[in-house]
Amino acid sequence: MSPNEEIAASRKEQILQSAAALFASQGFYKTTTAHVAEAVGVTQPYVFHFFKSKEQLYLAVLEKAFDRMMNQFFTVNAPPDQLSTEMGRQFELLLQSHRNEMLLLMQSFTTPEPAVRNFVKEKYSFAYDRLVERFVKAGVPNPQWQASMFISLGLIGTLAEVLELPKLAPWCDSE
Amino acid sequence: MSPNEEIAASRKEQILQSAAALFASQGFYKTTTAHVAEAVGVTQPYVFHFFKSKEQLYLAVLEKAFDRMMNQFFTVNAPPDQLSTEMGRQFELLLQSHRNEMLLLMQSFTTPEPAVRNFVKEKYSFAYDRLVERFVKAGVPNPQWQASMFISLGLIGTLAEVLELPKLAPWCDSE
DNA sequence: ACTCATTTATTTATCAATAAATAAAGTTAT
DNA sequence: ATAACTTTATTTATTGATAAATAAATGAGT
């Protein structure tokens, strides 16, 4: 990899990172490609050198976030009776280390672009299935219910963070 | 000429209703004032005769939805041990009778307009406080936890509806 | 009953701003 | 010199919002 390519690669990473922060706090529509470019320190059209559209950029950010989350969950190895709790702890760690990505993930289901909807639907479906599978293998009772509850805790944690109302989810109070 | 029944219903009400449907399915940004006008059958600038901005229209829709929900909850009178379950049932009824308003309510926390954020924060805070109060008065153990769980069930129900993934919340499968 | 005046309802025309996307040119490193 | 990197300039489309005009209804005085 030549130095130029390294720079380009890092630019792409920088764009993904800045985009994650902006999309998480401003949402898809209020975040402009110019904002992303400015945050990185490049010009707006240059963003299109790496991503063929704003939507593709958004999807790339989401995919990265999803992969990170799934990795974190499925590297956990805890006894069945502590599995749910331990995975919850892992999510809280992610919420500290990659707050933007996680908040974005949990809000992404409200972005009404059809391509985004399909993508998010697929990912949530996949995540749910793997959670159930995990609980089943661990012999936990009511695996489907456990999986649903796990996701819903992520949702209300995000709600609490976004609205800055820690009382709504005191158990993941980070400040 | 005798007044057409459709026109007889207040235009403002019609606008609020169409806006609720559009905002719920398309979100704040993708819903244009022209879409709302078209759905009602009036011209786009006429919407501004009733609401001084698109944001005010959105807030008006939210307020109406929120008031309806709080009313439904607080006209319930059930024995303490069935309070949470009964209010859940009431929410499911609302989800059938006023689906758009309820889905909108549960997604509104992701709209990044500052005025919307403040409004939604206030309303969620108020709703949570009144839920806790209700559970406390009924002598239910862990009233805060109960209130949080109640809201989080609404969230995952909405997620399931929006993504059309009933398996995520089978207990409120409506189709 | 009929006109005139006033309010209410709604439209046409248009502005000003924003933002995504393209193309072409310039820069830098090897 | 060439290929990768990055910018400038521009286009095209959309949309929230305003102003002014038109039409329909209401009501008072005659």
Side-chain angles (χ1 to χ4, degrees):
Chain A
M1 184 184 281
S2 80
N4 273 345
E5 281 168 350
E6 268 182 73
I7 290 168
S10 80
R11 281 284 195 237
K12 190 169 179 178
E13 278 308 306
Q14 286 178 282
I15 289 172
L16 283 167
Q17 199 175 323
S18 291
L22 288 165
F23 283 140
S25 68
Q26 302 290 332
F28 179 75
Y29 298 101
K30 223 186 172 191
T31 299
T32 70
T33 56
H35 290 152
V36 174
E38 193 191 4
V40 172
V42 297
T43 57
Q44 177 259 332
Y46 194 38
V47 173
F48 289 83
H49 183 254
F50 300 99
F51 302 94
K52 85 162 194 272
S53 69
K54 180 183 168 181
E55 190 176 87
Q56 285 302 310
L57 169 58
Y58 188 74
L59 291 176
V61 173
L62 278 184
E63 182 133 62
K64 202 180 159 188
F66 247 108
D67 290 349
R68 193 191 306 283
M69 189 186 67
M70 293 304 271
N71 259 331
Q72 191 93 350
F73 284 167
F74 291 91
T75 51
V76 168
N77 211 336
D81 63 315
Q82 288 169 17
L83 187 56
S84 190
T85 314
E86 177 56 21
M87 292 199 338
R89 237 175 46 81
Q90 292 301 316
F91 186 70
E92 281 174 41
L93 287 181
L94 271 181
L95 214 46
Q96 292 181 304
S97 63
H98 296 84
R99 192 172 180 277
N100 294 328
E101 285 185 2
M102 294 307 113
L103 294 185
L104 179 58
L105 267 191
M106 304 307 281
Q107 293 180 254
S108 59
F109 76 97
T110 68
T111 301
E113 296 297 319
V116 174
R117 274 284 151 83
N118 288 333
F119 183 90
V120 172
K121 175 175 179 170
E122 231 172 66
K123 294 296 184 180
Y124 267 87
S125 180
F126 180 75
Y128 173 82
D129 289 344
R130 298 225 42 192
L131 280 171
V132 170
E133 185 187 48
R134 196 86 208 275
F135 287 129
V136 166
K137 276 182 181 165
V140 175
N142 290 322
Q144 289 93 345
W145 171 260
Q146 288 286 329
S148 291
M149 288 315 291
F150 189 76
I151 294 172
S152 79
L153 288 182
L155 287 172
I156 195 161
T158 301
L159 174 71
E161 285 279 332
V162 168
L163 296 184
E164 295 172 303
L165 283 175
K167 69 183 174 188
L168 296 184
W171 59 89
C172 66
D173 197 340
S174 58
E175 338 333 276
Chain B
M1 68 177 70
S2 73
N4 184 326
E5 279 163 50
E6 258 185 315
I7 293 171
S10 146
R11 277 275 136 98
K12 192 170 178 178
E13 278 308 309
Q14 287 180 281
I15 289 172
L16 283 168
Q17 199 176 322
S18 290
L22 288 165
F23 282 140
S25 68
Q26 301 290 332
F28 178 75
Y29 297 101
K30 225 189 169 188
T31 299
T32 69
T33 57
H35 290 152
V36 174
E38 193 190 5
V40 172
V42 297
T43 57
Q44 177 261 331
Y46 194 38
V47 173
F48 289 85
H49 183 254
F50 299 99
F51 302 94
K52 86 162 194 272
S53 68
K54 180 181 166 181
E55 189 176 88
Q56 285 302 310
L57 168 59
Y58 189 73
L59 291 177
V61 174
L62 278 185
E63 182 134 61
K64 202 179 159 192
F66 183 81
D67 289 349
R68 192 192 307 282
M69 190 186 66
M70 291 305 271
N71 259 332
Q72 191 94 347
F73 285 165
F74 290 91
T75 51
V76 168
N77 210 337
D81 62 315
Q82 288 168 19
L83 187 56
S84 189
T85 313
E86 177 57 20
M87 294 201 334
R89 238 177 45 82
Q90 291 302 313
F91 186 70
E92 280 174 43
L93 287 181
L94 270 180
L95 213 46
Q96 291 182 306
S97 63
H98 296 85
R99 191 171 181 278
N100 294 328
E101 285 185 2
M102 294 306 112
L103 293 185
L104 179 58
L105 220 44
M106 305 307 280
Q107 292 180 254
S108 60
F109 76 98
T110 68
T111 302
E113 296 297 318
V116 174
R117 274 284 151 84
N118 288 332
F119 183 89
V120 172
K121 175 177 179 170
E122 233 173 62
K123 294 297 184 183
Y124 267 86
S125 180
F126 180 75
Y128 173 82
D129 289 345
R130 299 225 43 194
L131 280 171
V132 170
E133 185 188 49
R134 198 86 209 275
F135 287 128
V136 166
K137 277 182 179 163
V140 174
N142 291 322
Q144 289 92 347
W145 172 261
Q146 288 285 332
S148 290
M149 289 314 293
F150 189 76
I151 294 172
S152 79
L153 287 182
L155 286 172
I156 194 160
T158 301
L159 175 70
E161 286 278 332
V162 168
L163 296 184
E164 297 173 302
L165 283 176
K167 67 182 174 186
L168 296 184
W171 59 88
C172 65
D173 197 340
S174 57
E175 323 0 84

